[in-house]
Amino acid sequence: MQPDVTFVIAAYNAELTIERAIASAIAQSNVSVEIIVVDDQSRDRTLDLARSYPEDIVRVVALEQNRGPGGARNAGLELARGRWVAVLDSDDAVYPERICTMIDRAEKAGAEIAVDNLQVVREDGVAEETMFPADYLEGLGEISLADYIAGNVVFESRFNLGYLKPIFQRRFLSENGLRYDEGLIIGEDYILLASALAKGGKCVVEPTTGYVYHIRTGSISRVLELHHVEAMRKADLVFARTHSMDAAAEAAFARRTRSLRKAASFLSLVQHIKARSPLKAVWTVLSDPAAVRHMGMPIAVRLRRVAAQFAAGAGEVKGAGS
């Protein structure tokens, strides 16, 4: 029998959390489940723990070389047999009713994609508020391409829709050749869902909370660096060349493009400050003054101090040569 859903769990050095993720996938109620764990060249006990489950419950793929989160997920998608596919991060979990509830919502609406709310859990195990207010998701109902892009404007979106964890109709992904961008470490989820929406996929919102998002110190998704932003900008250029957008989506895309440019300038500025390169910092500010708007007070104070030191040094040099 074809499973109702395939969980794809990409894992890298996840020995402390992989069993929690697997257990939550096994515990899904009222649906048949296939679980595929893709080990991305872990250096701890992740692979051994995944292989400790019977093969008819957990299928394990050990990649021959590290492919990153997108590549590991793609390897799992290639093997998936379920009517629906759900990506589950190896340090997260899902509630037992999640998949049944989401599939029911999607199939009643004739949708190829479904998203739900996320429970945020701190590293000490304390549950915080949900990622999105329930009334906000209820008000959305469905998410269009324009909605989704507007919800991924860096540093500016009211709620970051990039955190959503969609389930996809597997046939829809296959028929449209949709896979993760393996060149992205941050933003690969965004590009996949945006591409699915651009291909005509209907995304319905299930406002209940089904995904458990665990905050982890040092998680890649929580550390935005300049090279991440540059990769996102490159991926967006490819997206714009590949997909057509209506006027609303194009307007949202233009805002996102501006936000990524500002983010790149801001992160470049921060790098120059940390490296004590005042000339480069000043040049960045002159090239893109909007970058300074993203600066928090501690960084702004530091920039002023470095600039003052540079000015003082320049004055000394000038005085010595007169």
Side-chain angles (χ1 to χ4, degrees), residues 38 43 136 148 240:
V38 182
R43 291 171 292 179
Y136 169 71
Y148 189 61

Side-chain angles (χ1 to χ4, degrees), residues 3-318:
D4 291 316
V5 64
T6 296
F7 277 99
V8 175
I9 305 176
Y12 175 72
N13 292 346
E15 64 179 5
L16 298 179
T17 60
I18 187 67
E19 291 178 296
R20 178 179 65 200
I22 292 173
S24 72
I26 292 174
Q28 292 300 292
S29 59
N30 301 312
V31 288
S32 54
V33 173
E34 174 185 54
I35 301 170
I36 299 177
V37 174
V38 182
D39 182 75
D40 197 19
Q41 281 286 303
S42 294
R43 291 171 292 179
D44 61 4
R45 297 177 56 245
T46 298
L47 183 58
D48 292 336
L49 291 173
R51 284 175 169 167
S52 67
Y53 293 85
E55 292 184 5
D56 60 335
I57 296 178
V58 178
R59 298 172 63 191
V60 180
V61 178
L63 296 182
E64 295 183 358
Q65 61 183 16
N66 183 278
R67 290 174 55 180
R73 290 170 181 172
N74 284 341
L77 289 176
E78 292 300 324
L79 298 174
R81 298 182 297 112
R83 292 189 300 113
W84 292 82
V85 291
V87 167
L88 173 58
D89 289 347
S90 60
D91 52 355
D92 292 334
V94 286
Y95 290 133
E97 297 290 335
R98 184 194 190 225
I99 296 300
C100 177
T101 301
M102 294 180 77
I103 290 178
D104 184 61
R105 170 79 64 164
E107 293 185 341
K108 284 181 178 178
E112 294 84 10
I113 312 160
V115 295
D116 61 351
N117 211 340
L118 298 85
Q119 176 64 59
V120 180
V121 178
R122 294 189 333 215
E123 198 161 17
D124 60 6
V126 175
E128 296 185 339
E129 295 182 354
T130 55
M131 183 76 73
F132 307 98
D135 58 351
Y136 169 71
L137 290 185
E138 289 173 357
L140 282 178
E142 294 181 14
I143 296 178
S144 67
L145 177 59
D147 293 331
Y148 189 61
I149 296 174
N152 282 274
V153 176
V154 181
F155 296 147
E156 296 179 23
S157 297
R158 181 187 175 198
F159 299 111
N160 189 341
L161 298 185
Y163 281 104
L164 291 171
K165 298 293 185 179
I167 64 169
F168 295 94
Q169 191 180 75
R170 184 176 63 84
R171 183 177 62 185
F172 177 79
L173 292 181
S174 297
E175 290 177 349
N176 288 281
L178 294 172
R179 289 293 185 267
Y180 286 95
D181 185 335
E182 299 190 20
L184 291 173
I185 296 178
I186 288 182
E188 75 279 5
D189 296 304
Y190 163 77
I191 286 293
L192 180 64
L193 181 48
S195 298
L197 292 169
K199 288 287 189 179
K202 180 178 180 179
C203 179
V204 66
V205 178
E206 168 53 52
T208 59
T209 304
Y211 194 97
V212 185
Y213 177 83
H214 287 264
I215 296 175
R216 182 167 55 86
T217 301
S219 172
I220 291 176
S221 64
R222 300 184 63 81
V223 181
L224 189 63
E225 298 180 359
L226 179 58
H227 66 95
H228 296 145
V229 175
E230 295 295 357
M232 291 162 67
R233 295 176 73 185
K234 184 182 296 185
D236 273 22
L237 288 175
V238 174
F239 177 88
R241 291 197 299 265
T242 306
H243 302 289
S244 60
M245 294 177 273
D246 60 21
E250 285 185 349
F253 186 83
R255 293 197 302 274
R256 174 176 161 85
T257 299
R258 288 193 296 270
S259 77
L260 287 174
R261 188 204 73 225
K262 293 176 184 177
S265 295
F266 165 65
L267 293 170
S268 178
L269 177 58
V270 172
Q271 281 189 0
H272 296 327
I273 294 171
K274 290 181 176 179
R276 300 185 66 80
S277 301
L279 283 177
K280 292 182 179 179
V282 170
W283 175 253
T284 300
V285 172
L286 292 175
S287 301
D288 190 0
V292 183
R293 298 173 191 169
H294 296 311
M295 298 184 72
M297 184 58 66
I299 298 177
V301 170
R302 186 172 180 181
L303 176 60
R304 286 196 293 270
R305 288 175 179 171
V306 172
Q309 291 171 0
F310 171 70
E316 292 172 0
V317 171
K318 183 178 180 180

